[in-house]
Amino acid sequence: MHQFNTISEIRTWRKSHKHLVFVPTMGSLHAGHCQLVREAKKYADKVIVSIFVNPTQFGINEDFSTYPRTETQDCELLTAEGCDAVFLPNTEMIYGPNFQTSVRVSQVSQNYCGASRAGHFDGVATVVCKLFNIIQPDVAVFGLKDFQQFAVIEAMTRDLHLPIEVIGVPTVRELDGLAMSSRNFYLNEKEREIAPHFYRILQKARENLATKTIANVEKKAILELTNVGFVVDYFSVVRRFDLKLATENDGDLIILAAVKLGKTRLIDNL
Ligand code: AMP
């Protein structure tokens, strides 16, 4: 596997490959990321992964400084997955001293994680746009676990006419249902036991949508989550295509939710 640290190395390598698939990550890789690489391989013969903990998508009181950084293990994992190249830029390279341009996807960024984490999706859209321009992939692969992020990237790619096909991969879960996440490493033993209730309550809410009103489904789920020890950030039934709050007449729905367990923030959807 090639390891690239500079933009010029990437540009040179890019020229000799016609069809390229790109998987952006922040590292601390787990089976969810590996699944993205496996899916990516179906779309082209060359797969490149980036590992960059992007400072602009973290708020001032968030976990940028403590976010797990496991570069050596990550590269071993990617080599074992048959990934062709990894891009490991540093912050100075991505955000030079005069950096002053950002990308904002106004509508789908607004609510849910966008409301709780001011500026988060501007940071995400900007860094992904930059990485798209550096790597110039034909296809880019993202996890549907971060569904709002996926919607932001889809909208940005469409609105800016970027010639990139954006693919979403279903969430990879632990055996007990907990969505895999680099932030699961923060959970202590007791919190880890509670954590699977998040997915269980999402599943129950989905069932309840068949017989109860949306407002009642949300209320019941929030109560259940609170009772088992989560602090609920949001639990919202929304329209899948534009992430607006669903009404009883809407059909194609997705439940988006974020909770806190101790200091750890978890997100999931169904
Ligand atoms: P991250 O390193 O957390 O920024 O995630 C990098 C990519 O992996 C994003 O597209 C995520 O949506 C995706 N991802 C993270 N966790 C999972 C998971 N459990 N299943 C599928 N994709 C995931």
Side-chain angles (χ1 to χ4, degrees), residues 23-36 50-53 57 67 124 141-147 149-150 153 167-174 178-184 267:
V23 183
T25 81
M26 296 207 299
S28 183
L29 302 182
H30 49 67
H33 298 109
C34 292
Q35 185 62 25
L36 299 194
S50 65
I51 297 178
F52 179 59
V53 184
Q57 69 188 72
Y67 196 85
V124 169
V141 178
F142 292 83
L144 295 174
K145 186 193 84 100
D146 301 278
F147 192 83
Q149 168 175 282
F150 181 75
I153 302 301
I167 305 291
V169 175
T171 303
V172 177
R173 299 180 180 279
E174 302 285 358
L178 176 65
M180 288 192 181
S181 162
S182 306
R183 290 194 168 95
N184 292 351
I267 62 171

Side-chain angles (χ1 to χ4, degrees), residues 111-112 147 201-202 204-210 212-222 232 234-258 268-270:
N111 301 316
Y112 324 113
F147 192 83
I201 291 167
L202 269 165
K204 220 162 141 192
R206 179 173 63 180
E207 276 170 35
N208 286 342
L209 279 173
K212 294 183 169 51
T213 63
I214 290 173
N216 278 338
V217 169
E218 291 173 343
K219 213 163 102 185
K220 193 167 166 17
I222 290 169
V232 180
Y234 62 85
F235 190 101
S236 305
V237 180
V238 313
R239 304 197 305 203
R240 200 180 150 96
F241 74 98
D242 63 2
L243 303 194
K244 293 207 168 132
L245 288 177
T247 66
E248 303 300 332
N249 298 326
D250 291 314
D252 194 9
L253 307 180
I254 181 161
I255 310 173
L256 301 179
D268 205 343
N269 65 74
L270 199 60

Side-chain angles (χ1 to χ4, degrees), residues 49-207:
V49 171
S50 65
I51 297 178
F52 179 59
V53 184
N54 173 38
T56 65
Q57 69 188 72
F58 289 80
I60 33 172
N61 294 319
E62 293 183 0
D63 56 343
F64 175 67
S65 59
T66 54
Y67 196 85
R69 286 155 171 90
T70 56
E71 218 168 274
T72 309
Q73 285 150 260
D74 291 348
C75 288
E76 283 168 9
L77 202 64
L78 292 174
T79 305
E81 284 297 334
C83 180
D84 298 284
V86 63
F87 179 41
L88 302 151
N90 63 34
T91 305
E92 292 69 39
M93 195 186 302
I94 299 294
Y95 299 105
N98 254 331
F99 175 73
Q100 54 195 287
T101 307
S102 64
V103 179
R104 167 171 292 178
V105 179
S106 56
Q107 206 184 86
V108 288
S109 294
Q110 227 171 24
N111 301 316
Y112 324 113
C113 284
S116 324
R117 305 183 68 190
H120 169 68
F121 287 120
D122 294 355
V124 169
T126 303
V127 80
V128 171
C129 190
K130 281 165 154 290
L131 291 167
F132 278 2
N133 284 325
I134 293 166
I135 291 169
Q136 301 187 5
D138 301 283
V139 179
V141 178
F142 292 83
L144 295 174
K145 186 193 84 100
D146 301 278
F147 192 83
Q148 193 177 7
Q149 168 175 282
F150 181 75
V152 167
I153 302 301
E154 267 196 321
M156 173 188 80
T157 307
R158 182 196 63 221
D159 291 351
L160 298 182
H161 308 282
L162 303 179
I164 298 168
E165 186 185 356
V166 176
I167 305 291
V169 175
T171 303
V172 177
R173 299 180 180 279
E174 302 285 358
L175 288 176
D176 58 17
L178 176 65
M180 288 192 181
S181 162
S182 306
R183 290 194 168 95
N184 292 351
F185 299 119
Y186 297 149
L187 299 171
N188 65 30
E189 213 176 313
K190 184 149 182 286
E191 289 164 346
R192 181 62 190 80
E193 276 172 27
I194 296 171
H197 287 292
F198 189 16
Y199 183 51
R200 183 184 60 75
I201 291 167
L202 269 165
Q203 286 176 305
K204 220 162 141 192
R206 179 173 63 180
E207 276 170 35

